[in-house]
Amino acid sequence: MGYPHRGSKKGRRWHPNLRRLQEYVNKAVLPETYHMPTIDEAFAKLASAHTLSKIDLVKAYNQVPICDMTSSLCTITTHQGLYKFKRLPFGINVAAIRFQRLVSELLNGIPGVVALLDDILISGENIDQHNVRLNEVLARLSAAGLRVHREKSVIGA
């Protein structure tokens, strides 16, 4: 079951209980800090690139499982009964930070790779180096259970 909402995807109106959930959880969750990479830092890391790829992750935050205690906080009432989120919902104030930390730690140690939330940039000074890095990134994403949005990804540009 997806998010409770009314209307089409383009003109999506969120269920009123979802807004209350976000407000409630944002008050209950302690703020976190984590260094979000800037575009200048990303460009500096990719400066020597001759081959570049961009991997886009499907529904970024929604791929991150949450613990039972947090899941209990993220329960809303719908016309079909209670809906308990098992994945990190959008609108939670720490969602971007937690997702960035997860992806950065997952890809740590691979040179020429920059994660900017749901976009991962992979560079190489030549095609062979790029392909080795790309395969390592894809292997780590697969091992972590994160899915790639093939249509939005660009390989070897």
Side-chain angles (χ1 to χ4, degrees):
M1 171 166 44
Y3 283 131
H5 62 84
R6 297 182 199 130
S8 67
K9 186 173 182 177
K10 189 173 186 180
R12 184 176 294 179
R13 291 185 310 148
W14 295 107
H15 192 281
N17 285 335
L18 188 57
R19 177 59 57 200
R20 280 188 238 128
L21 165 79
Q22 291 169 344
E23 292 169 3
Y24 172 72
V25 173
N26 285 337
K27 287 178 186 175
V29 173
L30 295 174
E32 293 183 27
T33 58
Y34 186 76
H35 176 71
M36 300 289 271
T38 65
I39 198 72
D40 291 334
E41 291 170 343
F43 285 150
K45 231 178 172 182
L46 305 172
S48 62
H50 289 262
T51 305
L52 189 67
S53 290
K54 179 189 76 106
I55 302 293
D56 186 79
L57 298 176
V58 175
K59 296 181 182 176
Y61 307 154
N62 299 135
Q63 294 192 56
V64 179
I66 56 178
C67 69
D68 288 337
M69 187 173 82
T70 304
S71 185
S72 294
L73 285 174
C74 296
T75 303
I76 62 172
T77 304
T78 71
H79 66 285
Q80 295 178 333
L82 295 177
Y83 180 82
K84 188 175 184 180
F85 287 87
K86 296 184 186 285
R87 304 257 173 202
L88 186 61
F90 286 97
I92 307 302
N93 60 5
V94 295
I97 291 170
R98 289 200 178 171
F99 186 76
Q100 181 67 45
R101 178 183 293 132
L102 171 85
V103 175
S104 293
E105 289 175 357
L106 181 67
L107 302 176
N108 188 30
I110 307 174
V113 174
V114 177
L116 300 168
L117 292 176
D118 70 334
D119 290 323
I120 301 167
L121 304 173
I122 302 129
S123 68
E125 293 178 16
N126 57 54
I127 193 74
D128 293 330
Q129 184 184 60
H130 167 268
N131 289 345
V132 167
R133 292 174 178 175
L134 176 63
N135 288 333
E136 179 65 24
V137 167
L138 293 174
R140 289 188 189 189
L141 292 174
S142 178
L146 296 176
R147 295 178 320 209
V148 171
H149 197 276
R150 290 181 188 203
E151 293 78 26
K152 286 186 167 182
S153 298
V154 179
I155 306 296

